[in-house]
Each structure stands twice: as structure tokens, then as C-alpha cells.
Amino acid sequence: MIPKRQSHRYFLFALFLFMLLATIFSPLKAIDKKPLTHDVYDTWKSIQRPQISPDGKWILYLETPQKGDAFLVVKNVDSGKTFRQLVGFSGDGTSAHTAAKPKFNYEATHVVFMISHSKAEVDSLKKAKKKSKKKKIKKMGILDLVSGEVVVVDSVKSFSLPEKNGSWLAYLKEAAKDTSKKKDKSKAKTEEKKSEEKNKKKKEKKDGTPLIVRSLKTGAETKFQHITDYRFTKKGDHLFVIISDKKKAGDDGVYDIGLGETVSAAQPILTGKGHYKKWATDKNETYLAFLTDRDDFEADTPTFNLYGWKIGDRTATLWVSHKETKNFPAGMAVSDKSGISFSKDGKIVTFGVKEIPAPEPEDSTETETAKFDLWHWNDPYPQPQQKKMAQRVRDNTWESVYFIKSKKFVKLADEKLPDVLLTPTGKIAYANNGWPYAKLVAYDGSYSDVYIVNPKNGSRKLIKQKLYGRASISPNAKYAYWFENGDWFAYNIKTNRTVNLTKGLGVRFDLEDWDTPNPARAYGIAGWTDGDKSILIYDHFDIWQVNPDGKNARCITESFGRKNNLSFRYVDLDREKDTVDPTKPMLLKTVNTETMASGFYRDKVNGNALPEKLFMSDAGLGRRIAKARNADRLMFTYSRFDQFPDLRISDLNFTIFKKVTDLGAQMKPYIWGYAELRNFLSADGKPLKGILIKPENFDANKKYPLMVYIYETLHDGLHNFRNPAPGTSINPSFYVSNGYLLWEPDIEYDTGYPGHDALKCVLPGIHMLIREGIVDPKRVGIAGHSWGGYQIAYMVTQTNIFAAAESGAPVSNMISSYDGIRWGTGMVRQFQYEKTQSRLGASLWEVPMRYIENSPIFWVDKIQTPLLIMHNDKDTAVPWYQGIEFIMALRRLKKEAYMFNYNGEPHGLRKRVNQEDWTKRMFQFFEHFLKDKPAPKWMTDGIKAWEKPAPKKK
């Protein structure tokens, strides 16, 4: 028997223990957190443009709010030492994270970056109404990673660092403005001060655009005037500059600045009045090539010539001139519209040639002429597409080559074969010529004739006719290869023999879940092994090594992927190498196709060992996996719906694994959600997957309102982290935080009836969740944009399960849309309905009833679901008259519907103010129908055109 005093102590202890356990294990723990609000968006930060230093000891990234000041963060991954520097305002169309362009120098002793206006400065300019249409002048920051000191330089246009030398920095200052014509309103200004300012302005004007070369070791700077362009050699032992001095004709030209312990004076490579542009060096930096019109600068129509300089020689040499070069085509000249490049061995230069334009007539008086477009039935492309192509065609140049040693010029391309490319080796050139099949692009697909071109004489050989897609060339230029009808083919350029590489291997190399009428795409290739000895080809899961003669094919991952539902994809960590070494380990990015877990395995082309597991996590890997240039260190991210994609550092074995950022901390105050992968069956019994997202305080005994979001296949986004943000579509994090379940089902299609296919995939998943007792069947909403918007517009004509639906930029009438134009590209829309996303599989005249049956416009009278539509008047993907047809039909039949047209916006919203407005209104719409919240005024009363402010007069 326990004594009375002790029993009291036991009671108090038990009570304390019970309360402690109740606190720890309470299912209502998350109730202390608050739901996300629209006010969160602006300050929500993300990681932009992360980099790892060449030595692997430092990382940098831009910590960027959606609307506010962005900061450059530089962190030592071993010591944790961190530097933060303001780089400017991001938001309202301004992107400091794009403009900052931070870079480590080669030795990782410094970080150089650009600085834009801060939010306070932007607000001040707006308040003062001094917002200039001219490009804002930026500053440059130089961060010393040893001392932490930041040197800020005003009025910097651009900067450059040598790729493999950490000693030097070059930056171009903004040209000084000539303000001498501005009137001075100060009456008290003295003659002495006026004279002083006048002299200062004269000096600034004379100095022009200065280039500063700075030693990052000593801080010493050397100035060079009137620079228009500049570039380092990779080793940083030379800095080439172009000088353009309008005052001194003799100073124009290309110069070499030698860089050793000190900065040498600029030595002329080639000078003379004219323009100098489009320069390049070969891989070993033996030669510098550039274009100039100095030899013909005074002519009515100046023409360019190609010059080359062997680095270290006294002066440049004329390589190609339309006046002096043998076999140069008459009426043409070297073009300044295309770039210059060298073959890998530095023996051949490629460039473009173009017809010399006729001189402008002296009498430039214009007579008025009729203005029109001729839509010709037999044109290769319709007029809108021609207009999109017009400038590119006008600027089109014919690929040509110059052999440096033999001084031989060869023109490779012409009007019959316009798109010729020299391979990096310089051994052959090739072309994918789509012009004979240009009309087919409108309704069938993209086809090419494949040619091999001899760069020594320009002779051509047709090796493949009417290929669906394009062919490529192996790294060592021994083979052309392509994918056709589910198989890979290789053409031996020496023997003229084509081989089917994958026939009879027993697995599919085209996408197994392909569901559009056009031919299925390939899974792709990992690359070629050294010397073009074999090609590494992906199937759904594994990697195959196949010799280009079609023999000795083997699965280098030993079918381990297929047996274990693992998809292996090669991670190229050496961007300077264009082949795979079969003797060295390959890092494989790996995804479990059943669970969507991801990570890394390691394998080797040679040998029969099974792939070695390095790291797998129930999370999703980020797209970019970066390796330090000079160290065995990786930087990458992985995430889940409830886990922010913070940066992580690892060695190549993943034995050292470290999280080096913590922006996920901003999630802590808010109710978040967690995502589950669910399996279900379509109405036809097809196995499908979907993502169910629940709030972290989910109560299994409660019936929730359900939001459904659709497009096509979505389950591969299971582990995507969704930043709370305004936009064109619903934000899953926001809706789940505010008490909704969110369901994203996969949709699979046959050919002919995409709307009905969507219905057969979407409804069973919803019914599954209703049967589980977690969804209120009277509170189901659905949202989607573009193709998702079409499917919703169709489904609400067939079912009344939805209490409310949002349909963004929907096609409502496939008949009127079929012959329309995608104004973004100028292409006819027919291809979309016959061969691609709309999946009808035939023309309007072959299957007219399909176009009617799949068009929501013909079934509007069946709709009983309140609809919210957005279709903007500058939509270049889906003509916005599709939205007009839809809303007008709904209006005629007295169906409750609302359509927002954000003036001047394209297919998806771009302006943040419109994103914010639409996000709030869409939420109000669903809150009213799914949670019985009061309808906002815009729903009850509308917004009349005369109630809005009158447009400002120009």
C-alpha cells in the first residue's frame, strides 16, 4: 500500500506526465499556426541563381522576395562565415536577381556583382515622378571573401572575369552624359563655377566610355578610353578590346592588352575608321577572328571582311574578303548578322555570307502605295507566320568556312539548303532541311531531309528523306543518328550504311505512356562514349550501350531500373567534355517511378556490376546539380510539398551531406500541407495516379471542401515545393493552408474524344475521396488553365458534381478555333487538333462530328455549374474570342458566369498587380460557393465600363 503523501506525489507526477504527453501528441498541435494570407506573397523569399565556387568552399545565391529588396548571400560551407549584400529591388517587372549576375573569380577570393536601385530608391523615384524610360544606371560591387570588405563602383555598364584566372577584373563604365545644353536655373552661379563645370563636362565628353582593368590582388586600376567591347582569354593573359573614337579616325580598331604582373599598354591588332564586331577565339586561344568594315567604310553600302590574328603577332591578317578571296560568290559579302566560331582543332573558321544590299536611291521621296498582305494557297507558311519569320529570313546568312592553313574559302549553304552546320570537329557539315515540308507543319508535323556536306568542297549527300524530327551528329563526326518509329538509327558517314540500333532489344525506346496521335518521342540518350565507339540510350528505366554497327548491345544498368521501378538518367558533371568515359564512374539521377522518391546511384559503362545506391530520399531532386570545377563537391536541392528546397552540399559519395541554407524557416508560422501519392482507376479501369494534398492539421473525421486542379499528367510533381504566390492558376499551398483538400489527378487519353477522356479520369478520383468520407460532396470545386481550362469547360456540360468551376483561357469552339492562328508564332492551329494536344486525330472535314461533340459551345444549355472564366485580349496561344463565344453563350442561356479580361495581358498573367487581383477574386469565388462566404460586390453587381476610370488621353 502506497502512503498517503506518496500517493499524492504519484498523482501530481501522473497528471504532469499526462499533460506533457497530451501536448506532444495532440492532433491539434498545428492549430497554433495561422493560415496563409494574400499579404504573405510579397515578402516570401526564394533562392535564385545559386553557384558553387571553383574550389567548392563557398556558395552564393540571391535571396529574393517576390516584391522587395533582394540580397546576395555568400557563405563558406565549412565555417559558416556569411556575407550579405543588397543588390536591388525585385517586383513590378524589375528583377534584381537577374540583373545582379554575381560571379566568383577563379581562385574564389572575390565575388563581383551588379547593384540596382533598392526598393526605397524605386519608391522615391516614383514619388518624385522621375521614372526615366532610359535604362537605369547600375553600380558594381566587389566583395573580398577574406576581409568581407565591399567596394562599390558607381555607373557600371558591365563586367567580366577571366574563366581560369582569378587575378583580374574588367568593367565598362557608363558613358558620361552631355548635359551642356541643359539650362542652369540658378541665377547666383559665379563665372568661376560656370567655367569649372564647363571644363569638367568637356573632359567627361572627351573621355567617352572608359574600361577599367582592376587587379583583384592589389586593387590597382588602369583606365582605357572609348571602349565598345572587350573580352578576356580563358587564361586571363590577354584582354582584347574594341575602341571606337569618333574624334580620331586612326584610333578605331581591335587592341590587345597584355596581362602579367602588371597591365600592359593597349597594342593595336588592326586599326582604321570603321566598325569592329563578332569576334571569337579558338579553343586553344591561338587565333582571334573578328569582322570589320574598315576596308569599305566610305562606300555607299559598307561591307564586312573577316580578319584573323595569331595571338602574339604584330598585326592581323585579312582572311576573307568579297573583293579578294578566290571563289567568293558574286554580289555577296561577309555578314555581320551571324557569329564566328572555330572548329575544335582551331584550323577552320565558320561565318556567314550574305547578299550585298543595293544602295539607297538619292531621291528618297516616298510615293503612297497600297498596303496589303497576300494569303497565297501554296505559300510554305501563312502570312502571320511569315511576319514572325521575316526579320530572321532577311538576316539569314549562308554558312561558310575558311581553312586557315590552305587559305581556302568554301560556301556551304544556299537557298536550296539553307541551314548547314559545321560539326565541332570540322570533319563534316550537315543539314536538316525542313523547307520541302513546310506546309505540313500546319497540320501534320515537322519533317526534314538530312544531308551530309563536305566542308572541303561543299558537295552534298542526301542520307535520309522526310524524317519526322531531326538528325544529329556524333561527337567525333563518324555517324549521323536519329529516332524514328520507336527505334534509334545510326548512319556510318564513311561506309554510307544505316543501321537500326535498337531493333529486337525487347524494350520500348519511345515514351510508353504517349497518348497523342503524332509519333511518340524518344526517352533520349545519355551521350556517346569516347571515340564514337558506342551510344548510350535511355529506355523508360535503364541505359543501354549500343555499338553504332548495331552489335553487342547491352544494358549497362543490368535491367536493375526496370526490376525496381527506378529511372536512371546520367548527370554530366564535366561540361567541358562532350563524351562519356566508359572506364569512369557515372553519377545517375534516379527516380522511383512508383513512389517518386529520388536520389543518386553510381554505375560504369564497362563491367557488369549492379548500379550502386548512394542516396535516396522520399523527396524530389532539383533540376540543377552543380559540381565545383576544381573539387569533388556537389551542390543541389531536394524538396517535398512540406519541405523548402534549401541548398545542400555533398561529396561525390554522399558521405558528407550538409544543408547550407535555411529559407524553409519562413514556413514555420503557417499551416502547411503534405502531399500523398494515391493510386486509382479510371472509368475504363486504367490504373492512374494522383496527388492528394492535405493540411498538416488534417482531421480524418471531418469532411473538407475539395479543390481539383487538372492538366494532363501531374503526379511527377508530387514532391514539388509550391511557394505561396499570386498567379494565373490556384496556389496549392494557399488553398490547403486555408482548409481545403487539393486533388491533382492524372489524365490519360485515347484519340478522338479528349473531353470525355478527362471526364473518365477526373470523376473516379473525386468519387474515391468522397467514399473515404473526407470530402463534402456538395463542396467540390475545380480549376485549370489553357488545356486544363478547355477540359473543365467540357466537363461542366456533362456533370453537375462541381459546386463551382474556374476555366482559364479555354477553347470553347473547336470548329472556329481549328482554322485560327496562334498569334504568338503565327502558326495555323490545325496541327493542335489533328496531331497534338487536342487529340482529335483527323481534319475537320474527315470527322466533323468529333469537332462538335468535343466543343463545349454546343452543350452550354446543359451547364448548371457557376463558372469563372479568364481570357485576356492579348492571348497569343488561344484566341480570346473563344472566351467571348463562351461567355456570350452562357449569358444568352442565363447561366451564372463571370469572365475577366485583363487588358493587354497574354495567355497567362505577367503583371504582378493583375496576378494579385485575379488570385484574390478567384479565391473569393470559391470561398462563396464552397464555404458559403458572402459574394463580393463584383459578383453581385458587376463592374460596368463607365464605372472604371476613363482612359488617359495621349
Side-chain angles (χ1 to χ4, degrees):
M1 184 176 178
I2 301 173
K4 191 172 183 181
R5 179 172 294 186
Q6 285 185 331
S7 67
H8 181 67
R9 289 176 180 172
Y10 276 107
F11 172 77
L12 291 175
F13 176 73
L15 180 62
F16 170 76
L17 185 62
F18 172 78
M19 292 174 67
L20 178 64
L21 293 173
T23 302
I24 294 172
F25 296 106
S26 171
L28 300 178
K29 180 182 176 185
I31 209 164
D32 293 335
K33 299 183 179 182
K34 55 188 177 182
L36 288 164
T37 64
H38 298 301
D39 297 334
V40 172
Y41 302 146
D42 285 358
T43 57
W44 194 269
K45 299 177 181 67
S46 60
I47 294 172
Q48 302 282 349
R49 303 181 183 276
Q51 295 175 37
I52 187 168
S53 63
D55 61 5
K57 295 179 180 179
W58 297 85
I59 62 154
L60 68 75
Y61 60 93
L62 292 157
E63 184 181 291
T64 309
Q66 293 174 27
K67 191 175 180 180
D69 284 332
F71 284 82
L72 169 67
V73 181
V74 185
K75 186 172 185 178
N76 187 295
V77 298
D78 297 317
S79 69
K81 185 178 181 180
T82 304
F83 303 106
R84 289 174 61 86
Q85 177 67 37
L86 176 68
V87 293
F89 173 67
S90 283
D92 294 335
T94 303
S95 301
H97 62 275
T98 302
K101 300 176 182 176
K103 288 184 180 179
F104 288 105
N105 70 327
Y106 186 65
E107 277 87 14
T109 58
H110 293 79
V111 173
V112 186
F113 54 96
M114 300 295 289
I115 305 170
S116 307
H117 287 307
S118 67
K119 185 177 187 304
E121 290 169 328
V122 170
D123 291 343
S124 177
L125 288 171
K126 285 182 178 178
K127 190 175 181 180
K129 296 182 180 179
K130 291 181 180 178
K131 188 176 181 181
S132 173
K133 292 182 180 179
K134 295 180 180 179
K135 191 175 180 181
K136 293 184 174 68
I137 295 175
K138 298 182 177 68
K139 302 176 183 178
M140 180 185 70
I142 307 168
L143 168 63
D144 187 317
L145 293 177
V146 177
S147 67
E149 179 188 3
V150 177
V151 175
V152 177
V153 184
D154 289 329
S155 303
V156 173
K157 190 175 182 180
S158 64
F159 72 85
S160 179
L161 293 163
E163 189 176 330
K164 296 184 177 181
N165 185 326
S167 299
W168 301 104
L169 161 69
Y171 60 94
L172 194 64
K173 296 273 286 180
E174 290 283 358
K177 293 182 180 179
D178 182 9
T179 58
S180 57
K181 294 181 181 180
K182 292 183 179 179
K183 293 182 179 178
D184 183 11
K185 295 181 180 180
S186 173
K187 295 179 181 179
K189 196 168 278 191
T190 65
E191 289 298 321
E192 183 181 353
K193 192 169 184 179
K194 286 181 182 178
S195 177
E196 184 182 323
E197 288 186 357
K198 189 176 181 180
N199 292 334
K200 183 179 178 183
K201 286 170 187 173
K202 280 184 178 179
K203 185 178 185 302
E204 287 176 349
K205 193 174 180 182
K206 182 182 176 183
D207 285 349
T209 309
L211 177 77
I212 313 299
V213 182
R214 181 184 178 95
S215 168
L216 291 175
K217 291 181 177 179
T218 66
E221 293 191 336
T222 307
K223 182 186 289 188
F224 298 88
Q225 300 295 351
H226 306 292
I227 306 299
T228 57
D229 202 359
Y230 61 107
R231 62 179 295 161
F232 282 106
T233 55
K234 287 183 181 179
K235 293 181 288 186
D237 52 350
H238 292 270
L239 175 64
F240 304 129
V241 298
I242 292 175
I243 291 179
S244 179
D245 187 348
K246 296 176 182 178
K247 296 286 184 180
K248 299 179 182 179
D251 285 353
D252 282 4
V254 181
Y255 292 78
D256 172 37
I257 300 170
L259 300 171
E261 292 298 320
T262 58
V263 180
S264 300
Q267 299 297 318
I269 296 172
L270 187 72
T271 61
K273 193 66 176 176
H275 300 96
Y276 298 80
K277 56 172 65 175
K278 301 287 185 183
W279 48 10
T281 58
D282 64 302
K283 185 178 180 180
N284 295 324
E285 296 184 326
T286 303
Y287 290 102
L288 172 72
F290 56 91
L291 303 180
T292 178
D293 61 358
R294 58 153 248 174
D295 302 315
D296 206 15
F297 186 68
E298 301 299 332
D300 291 334
T301 53
T303 53
F304 282 83
N305 293 328
L306 174 68
Y307 276 82
W309 180 58
K310 189 171 184 180
I311 297 175
D313 280 1
R314 290 191 62 185
T315 187
T317 304
L318 177 64
W319 279 354
V320 179
S321 165
H322 68 288
K323 293 179 179 178
E324 300 180 28
T325 299
K326 187 178 179 181
N327 298 324
F328 200 94
M332 291 188 173
V334 176
S335 173
D336 65 327
K337 300 297 183 182
S338 63
I340 306 171
S341 62
F342 283 85
S343 59
K344 196 181 293 185
D345 61 9
K347 295 179 180 179
I348 305 172
V349 188
T350 64
F351 53 96
V353 300
K354 183 176 173 57
E355 293 81 2
I356 300 173
E360 291 285 337
E362 290 185 12
D363 183 7
S364 60
T365 305
E366 293 184 8
T367 47
E368 189 175 359
T369 58
K371 295 181 180 180
F372 60 88
D373 299 326
L374 173 61
W375 295 60
H376 194 287
W377 72 274
N378 205 28
D379 276 346
Y381 300 103
Q383 278 288 322
Q385 194 169 356
Q386 290 179 37
K387 289 179 179 180
K388 295 288 182 182
M389 299 166 60
Q391 193 57 48
R392 179 165 57 87
V393 173
R394 291 187 193 108
D395 292 342
N396 193 36
T397 61
W398 310 125
E399 182 92 342
S400 302
V401 293
Y402 176 73
F403 293 81
I404 297 172
K405 188 174 181 179
S406 62
K407 301 180 180 180
K408 183 179 181 181
F409 163 85
V410 181
K411 179 170 168 280
L412 303 180
D414 56 26
E415 291 181 351
K416 292 182 180 179
L417 196 64
D419 299 315
V420 180
L421 294 172
L422 185 73
T423 60
T425 63
K427 296 177 182 178
I428 63 159
Y430 70 105
N432 287 283
N433 186 20
W435 279 94
Y437 314 104
K439 289 178 69 175
L440 296 182
V441 173
Y443 56 88
D444 187 2
S446 178
Y447 295 88
S448 300
D449 289 338
V450 185
Y451 288 83
I452 295 297
V453 181
N454 186 336
K456 293 181 179 179
N457 55 28
S459 62
R460 303 161 178 178
K461 180 185 292 183
L462 176 65
I463 65 168
K464 177 66 181 174
Q465 196 166 17
K466 202 178 181 182
L467 171 67
Y468 184 84
R470 300 172 69 84
S472 301
I473 303 295
S474 60
N476 209 37
K478 294 180 180 179
Y479 304 92
Y481 63 99
W482 59 83
F483 186 78
E484 184 178 31
N485 297 326
D487 281 308
W488 284 95
F489 294 81
Y491 169 84
N492 188 312
I493 294 170
K494 186 176 182 180
T495 65
N496 304 323
R497 182 168 175 257
T498 301
V499 176
N500 186 326
L501 300 177
T502 49
K503 183 180 179 180
L505 293 183
V507 297
R508 287 182 60 178
F509 293 91
D510 59 347
L511 270 63
E512 295 179 8
D513 57 354
W514 190 257
D515 58 7
T516 60
N518 58 332
R521 291 197 303 267
Y523 284 105
I525 70 168
W528 287 74
T529 59
D530 296 345
D532 288 355
K533 290 183 179 178
S534 62
I535 183 172
L536 304 177
I537 303 174
Y538 296 130
D539 70 16
H540 189 181
F541 301 97
D542 292 292
I543 306 175
W544 293 74
Q545 180 189 22
V546 185
N547 291 347
D549 60 3
K551 298 178 181 178
N552 302 318
R554 55 181 288 269
C555 182
I556 67 167
T557 49
E558 316 302 327
S559 299
F560 187 82
R562 186 169 293 274
K563 292 173 185 175
N564 293 278
N565 295 312
L566 298 175
S567 173
F568 294 124
R569 296 297 181 257
Y570 171 57
V571 180
D572 185 4
L573 298 177
D574 186 356
R575 300 303 168 91
E576 293 186 359
K577 200 172 187 300
D578 55 11
T579 56
V580 179
D581 187 336
T583 66
K584 292 184 178 180
M586 302 168 63
L587 185 67
L588 304 178
K589 184 177 180 180
T590 307
V591 177
N592 187 307
T593 59
E594 284 299 308
T595 68
M596 303 312 295
S598 61
F600 297 100
Y601 274 65
R602 182 163 53 207
D603 203 354
K604 198 167 20 179
V605 175
N606 291 352
N608 298 311
L610 294 176
E612 175 191 2
K613 179 180 175 181
L614 299 174
F615 159 76
M616 288 291 288
S617 174
D618 188 22
L621 282 171
R623 292 182 180 179
R624 187 170 182 269
I625 300 155
K627 179 186 176 295
R629 181 195 289 267
N630 303 323
D632 288 340
R633 205 165 234 182
L634 300 177
M635 179 184 70
F636 58 94
T637 65
Y638 66 88
S639 64
R640 294 193 302 266
F641 186 87
D642 58 348
Q643 180 174 296
F644 188 90
D646 277 304
L647 294 172
R648 283 161 169 86
I649 294 292
S650 171
D651 63 349
L652 297 186
N653 294 317
F654 295 89
T655 53
I656 300 170
F657 197 86
K658 189 175 185 180
K659 188 174 83 164
V660 290
T661 62
D662 192 24
L663 265 69
Q666 61 191 323
M667 299 165 57
K668 290 179 181 178
Y670 303 105
I671 299 170
W672 216 257
Y674 57 96
E676 300 175 352
L677 191 63
R678 303 293 299 272
N679 296 307
F680 68 104
L681 298 175
S682 73
D684 290 338
K686 291 181 180 178
L688 298 172
K689 295 182 185 297
I691 303 171
L692 178 63
I693 308 174
K694 302 174 180 177
E696 61 180 307
N697 57 354
F698 174 72
D699 183 351
N701 297 313
K702 178 181 174 182
K703 292 183 186 294
Y704 287 83
L706 177 70
M707 277 300 305
V708 182
Y709 176 79
I710 63 168
Y711 194 75
E712 291 187 2
T713 299
L714 295 173
H715 81 266
D716 54 1
L718 172 69
H719 294 306
N720 290 350
F721 181 82
R722 323 289 181 94
N723 286 306
T728 300
S729 300
I730 63 169
N731 183 268
S733 300
F734 183 87
Y735 277 79
V736 172
S737 183
N738 281 275
Y740 291 81
L741 298 184
L742 196 123
W743 174 238
E744 297 182 347
D746 285 353
I747 301 172
E748 291 188 4
Y749 307 87
D750 295 313
T751 296
Y753 298 91
H756 197 61
D757 289 339
L759 201 69
K760 290 189 294 184
C761 296
V762 173
L763 292 188
I766 295 173
H767 288 305
M768 173 186 72
L769 300 175
I770 291 172
R771 286 194 303 271
E772 291 178 8
I774 59 175
V775 169
D776 185 337
K778 295 182 179 180
R779 302 179 187 277
V780 179
I782 189 168
H785 192 77
S786 192
W787 180 240
Y790 156 72
Q791 293 171 102
I792 291 167
Y794 175 85
M795 285 193 289
V796 294
T797 70
Q798 308 293 311
T799 179
N800 297 325
I801 195 172
F802 302 111
E806 180 271 332
S807 172
V811 167
S812 60
N813 185 344
M814 288 193 173
I815 294 177
S816 62
S817 187
Y818 171 77
D819 288 320
I821 298 293
R822 291 181 69 97
W823 294 105
T825 60
M827 293 179 66
V828 187
R829 297 178 55 81
Q830 295 162 345
F831 73 96
Q832 180 172 334
Y833 298 92
E834 296 189 38
K835 290 289 186 178
T836 61
Q837 194 172 54
S838 296
R839 299 173 170 89
L840 298 192
S843 73
L844 173 61
W845 303 276
E846 293 171 287
V847 289
M849 288 308 297
R850 284 188 194 173
Y851 285 79
I852 293 174
E853 291 173 77
N854 282 286
S855 297
I857 201 76
F858 295 102
W859 316 107
V860 171
D861 59 318
K862 310 297 183 187
I863 296 175
Q864 297 181 27
T865 305
L867 271 173
L868 178 65
I869 306 162
M870 179 180 69
H871 215 144
N872 304 321
D873 52 25
K874 293 300 180 183
D875 192 327
T876 59
V878 179
W880 88 292
Y881 55 72
Q882 289 289 308
I884 295 173
E885 286 188 48
F886 199 27
I887 188 67
M888 290 298 98
L890 289 159
R891 178 178 181 270
R892 170 65 180 83
L893 295 170
K894 299 179 182 178
K895 306 290 183 179
E896 184 174 3
Y898 314 85
M899 188 176 95
F900 281 83
N901 161 30
Y902 285 91
N903 306 144
E905 286 277 38
H907 189 56
L909 296 172
R910 296 292 179 267
K911 294 180 181 177
R912 187 171 179 84
V913 64
N914 292 336
Q915 293 174 341
E916 292 171 345
D917 183 82
W918 170 244
T919 297
K920 292 173 183 177
R921 294 185 192 277
M922 183 162 47
F923 187 60
Q924 290 170 347
F925 174 79
F926 283 119
E927 285 279 274
H928 173 65
F929 287 108
L930 303 188
K931 287 191 175 180
D932 301 323
K933 297 289 178 68
K937 194 172 188 299
W938 62 265
M939 286 181 64
T940 58
D941 299 352
I943 303 173
K944 310 299 186 292
W946 53 84
E947 294 172 348
K948 299 191 295 182
K952 294 179 180 179
K953 293 181 180 180
K954 294 183 179 179

